[in-house]
Each structure stands twice: as C-alpha cells, then as structure tokens.
C-alpha cells in the first residue's frame, strides 16, 4: 500500500479512507479483488488525447467506471478519444 501511495503522490491513509468509503457504500468486496487503474483525462475540452498502444499479448478486460451515480461498462482496449467522448456524453445527460 505504501508503494502505491508513493507512486501516485498520495498518503497511505488516503487510500485506506477511499477503501473504507467504498466498503461503506457496498462498492468494495474484499472477496472480489477490485483493481484500481490510474486514469488521466484532460480537463480542457477539444484537446486530442493521444492513443496509447495496447500490448497485443493482453486480452481485453471488462472495465466498470462509476461517475456520480452512473455506471459505464467498456473493454480496456477502448480508444481513449472514444472513452473521453463517452464520459462527456454521460456527464451532460
């Protein structure tokens, strides 16, 4: 936990607090083994997001993204520009 916190410039206590909040809301199950991914999405609209290469050895993984009570399901291989557009459409709905 310490390494993850240091890598993302967070305090270890913050990660524990997030986990506690998720458990309290019923969104965390220690049995399910949740995975966290670092996501950087530009704030400025109209800025092109470079597509990161996806290694061919990895098969697509199902991803669930929760935003303000809304839930998006997509594959890990989704184009970042398409994902940014999708998130924007959901946010304005």
């Amino acid at each position: 936990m310490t390494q993850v916190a240091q890598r993302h410039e967070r305090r270890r206590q913050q990660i524990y607090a997030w986990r506690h909040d998720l458990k309290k809301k019923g969104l965390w199950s220690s049995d399910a083994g949740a995975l966290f991914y670092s996501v950087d999405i530009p704030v400025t609209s109209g800025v092109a997001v470079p597509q990161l290469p996806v290694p061919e050895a990895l098969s697509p993984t199902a991803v669930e993204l929760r935003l303000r009570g809304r839930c998006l399901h997509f594959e890990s291989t989704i184009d970042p520009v398409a994902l940014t557009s999708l998130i924007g459409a959901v946010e304005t709905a």
Side-chain angles (χ1 to χ4, degrees):
M1 193 65 76
T2 300
Q3 291 173 349
V4 171
Q6 289 173 345
R7 187 175 339 135
H8 297 286
E9 298 177 356
R10 299 284 178 236
R11 293 183 339 184
R12 193 177 65 195
Q13 292 81 1
Q14 180 63 58
I15 296 174
Y16 284 118
W18 287 335
R19 189 170 67 175
H20 175 75
D21 289 343
L22 289 172
K23 284 181 183 178
K24 203 163 112 179
K25 294 176 184 176
L27 301 174
W28 174 279
S29 170
S30 57
D31 298 335
L35 298 172
F36 292 93
Y37 293 99
S38 177
V39 177
D40 294 320
I41 299 176
V43 177
T44 308
S45 61
V47 174
V49 178
Q51 183 173 357
L52 300 175
V54 177
E56 292 184 27
L58 297 176
S59 59
T61 303
V63 177
E64 179 179 296
L65 177 63
R66 293 178 184 254
L67 299 166
R68 298 182 190 157
R70 294 185 173 103
C71 187
L72 297 174
H73 295 267
F74 52 90
E75 288 189 350
S76 58
T77 56
I78 189 170
D79 176 63
V81 174
L83 178 58
T84 302
S85 297
L86 178 62
I87 291 170
V90 170
E91 287 293 308
T92 58

